[in-house]
């Protein structure tokens, strides 16, 4: 009889993706362990660590140790935050940062250096291959030269994860087999489709995106503002279409946390825990119902591991 397989899709969202640690912690405590994990961006980092065998406590400790390091300083996350006070000085500061970013975008391929990204990945993940993982795993990137998604399920983990987390313009793209790869969030912010392609019987999606909030016309002053807003809308619409296929969606309350606010990781982890704890009874009921529904089809099916092309 074919095993009932639960798939877990961990979405992208920068620092908000640290909520995945809290989600995994509560799922495990309730005996819900995925048979397959797919990740995008931060979901790729957390997913790879989990599938390698790191506990959620070990993940939290790694984040705690990471913040005081020189690697964290090199990533300049703190410099991306605008001052809280809304006065003339903060307005001027914001304009200077915006102009500096435009200048850098014309002379460099990314705001951050590749060596800094490599150091970060090395800090969180050992030099391992997909075949070294204890749970089957895949992560998503986008080849912007060919205009297509790339699903990693073999080869070195660092190559796959660095491709999946490469936020366009912020982090350098990864050159891979003749392609130019960036963050997979452009095509699969919550990689539910990968779970279906793998053959999972029940899919759990974790959406840590910021969501789409209404803005006033006064906030759309520059070409950068307008282009960025248009891109946000397109990504939001695509995400809504993709998550329709998920059997169970978990959306932690992290919308107000910016993608670079790593120092708020405890808040993110707690949000992940709280959201799953509220939904555990409903989730268990849905898993049981799906097991019953698929019982006869699984009884006569051949249980084979499916490689995603």
């Amino acid at each position: 009889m074919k095993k009932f397989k639960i798939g877990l899709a961990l979405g992208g969202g920068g620092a908000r993706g640290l909520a995945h640690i809290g989600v995994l912690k509560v799922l495990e405590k309730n005996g819900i362990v995925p048979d397959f994990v797919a990740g995008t961006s931060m979901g790729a980092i957390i997913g790879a660590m989990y599938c390698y065998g790191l506990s959620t406590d070990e993940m939290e400790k790694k984040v705690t140790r990471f913040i005081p390091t020189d690697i964290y300083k090199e990533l300049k996350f703190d410099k991306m935050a605008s001052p809280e006070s809304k006065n003339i000085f903060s307005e001027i500061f914001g304009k200077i940062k915006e102009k500096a970013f435009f200048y850098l975008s014309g002379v460099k391929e990314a705001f951050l250096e590749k060596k800094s990204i490599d150091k970060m990945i090395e800090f969180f993940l050992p030099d391992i291959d997909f075949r070294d993982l204890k749970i089957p795993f895949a992560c998503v990137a986008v080849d912007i030269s060919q205009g297509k998604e790339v699903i990693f399920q073999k080869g070195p983990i660092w190559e796959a994860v660095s491709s999946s987390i490469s936020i366009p313009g912020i982090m350098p793209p990864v050159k891979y087999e003749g392609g130019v790869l960036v963050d997979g969030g452009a095509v699969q912010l919550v990689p539910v489709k990968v779970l279906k392609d793998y053959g999972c019987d029940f899919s759990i999606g974790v959406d840590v995106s910021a969501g789409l909030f209404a803005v006033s016309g006064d906030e759309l002053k520059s070409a950068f503002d307008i282009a960025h807003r248009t891109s946000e809308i397109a990504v939001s619409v695509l995400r809504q279409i993709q998550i329709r296929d998920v059997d169970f969606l978990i959306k932690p309350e992290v919308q107000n946390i910016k993608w670079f606010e790593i120092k708020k990781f405890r808040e993110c982890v707690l949000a992940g825990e709280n959201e799953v704890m509220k939904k555990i009874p409903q989730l268990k009921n849905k898993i049981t119902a799906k097991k019953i529904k698929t019982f006869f089809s699984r009884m006569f099916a051949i249980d084979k591991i499916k490689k995603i092309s």
Side-chain angles (χ1 to χ4, degrees):
M1 182 176 184
K2 179 180 177 289
K3 184 180 185 296
F4 182 83
K5 292 179 182 176
I6 296 175
L8 180 65
L10 303 177
R16 294 186 297 273
L18 295 168
H20 295 317
I21 298 174
V23 170
L24 288 163
K25 185 183 296 187
V26 178
L27 288 178
E28 272 200 341
K29 283 181 180 177
N30 285 274
I32 301 171
V33 178
D35 299 284
F36 180 77
V37 178
T40 294
S41 200
M42 181 61 85
I45 296 179
I46 302 299
M49 286 195 289
Y50 181 73
C51 291
Y52 179 61
L54 288 179
S55 70
T56 52
D57 287 341
E58 288 172 320
M59 291 184 211
E60 282 193 75
K61 288 176 184 176
K62 272 188 173 286
V63 179
T64 303
R65 293 197 301 268
F66 175 68
I67 291 172
T69 64
D70 290 336
I71 304 170
Y72 177 83
K73 293 173 186 173
E74 285 179 28
L75 293 169
K76 308 171 189 175
F77 288 145
D78 290 339
K79 294 182 180 179
M80 295 182 187
S82 297
E84 291 297 326
S85 57
K86 294 295 181 182
N87 54 41
I88 185 64
F89 298 106
S90 65
E91 290 293 325
I92 292 172
F93 181 76
K95 291 299 178 186
I96 290 172
K97 284 207 305 182
E98 187 176 301
K99 289 182 183 297
F101 185 80
F102 268 116
Y103 170 74
L104 287 171
S105 68
V107 297
K108 296 174 66 178
E109 67 176 4
F111 181 67
L112 301 178
E113 299 290 338
K114 184 180 185 303
K115 62 181 181 180
S116 300
I117 307 301
D118 290 343
K119 287 179 188 176
M120 178 184 72
I121 295 171
E122 186 179 347
F123 182 91
F124 284 102
L125 286 164
D127 184 12
I128 53 175
D129 193 276
F130 274 83
R131 62 175 172 264
D132 299 318
L133 302 178
K134 296 176 181 177
I135 298 173
F137 171 70
C139 66
V140 184
V142 182
D143 182 351
I144 55 175
S145 65
Q146 299 293 321
K148 63 180 183 180
E149 67 182 24
V150 176
I151 310 296
F152 283 94
Q153 209 183 353
K154 62 181 181 180
I157 285 290
W158 68 265
E159 191 171 51
V161 169
S162 63
S163 300
S164 188
I165 69 170
S166 294
I167 303 170
I170 303 294
M171 301 175 182
V174 175
K175 307 298 192 298
Y176 175 78
E177 294 187 353
V180 181
L181 308 188
V182 299
D183 192 315
V187 291
Q188 289 200 54
L189 193 60
V190 184
V192 176
K193 180 177 178 294
V194 180
L195 306 183
K196 299 291 185 181
D197 291 343
Y198 183 80
C200 294
D201 300 288
F202 189 88
S203 58
I204 303 171
V206 187
D207 181 5
V208 291
S209 62
L212 189 67
F213 300 96
V215 300
S216 67
D218 292 339
E219 295 178 69
L220 303 172
K221 296 176 181 178
S222 68
F224 177 81
D225 294 332
I226 294 168
H228 179 64
R229 178 63 175 173
T230 304
S231 175
E232 279 185 330
I233 294 169
V235 170
S236 178
V237 171
L238 178 61
R239 176 175 53 85
Q240 291 297 329
I241 292 171
Q242 290 176 340
I243 61 179
R244 286 176 191 166
D245 292 332
V246 74
D247 291 306
F248 197 87
L249 183 67
I250 297 168
K251 189 168 177 57
E253 294 291 331
V254 291
Q255 292 89 335
N256 293 325
I257 294 173
K258 296 181 176 62
W259 69 267
F260 51 80
E261 292 182 310
I262 305 292
K263 287 183 177 179
K264 293 186 178 181
F265 77 94
R266 294 193 190 281
E267 186 179 334
C268 293
V269 173
L270 185 60
E273 290 180 36
N274 289 339
E275 187 62 23
V276 182
M277 283 191 287
K278 287 190 297 185
K279 293 188 172 181
I280 276 293
Q282 183 186 358
L283 175 56
K284 286 184 174 180
N285 287 339
K286 284 210 167 189
I287 290 174
T288 300
K290 195 67 178 287
K291 280 183 177 178
I292 294 169
K293 185 178 179 180
T294 61
F295 178 80
F296 288 107
S297 60
R298 289 185 291 112
M299 178 177 285
F300 299 106
I302 299 173
D303 192 2
K304 294 189 295 184
I305 292 181
K306 182 178 180 181
K307 286 289 181 183
I308 302 166
S309 58

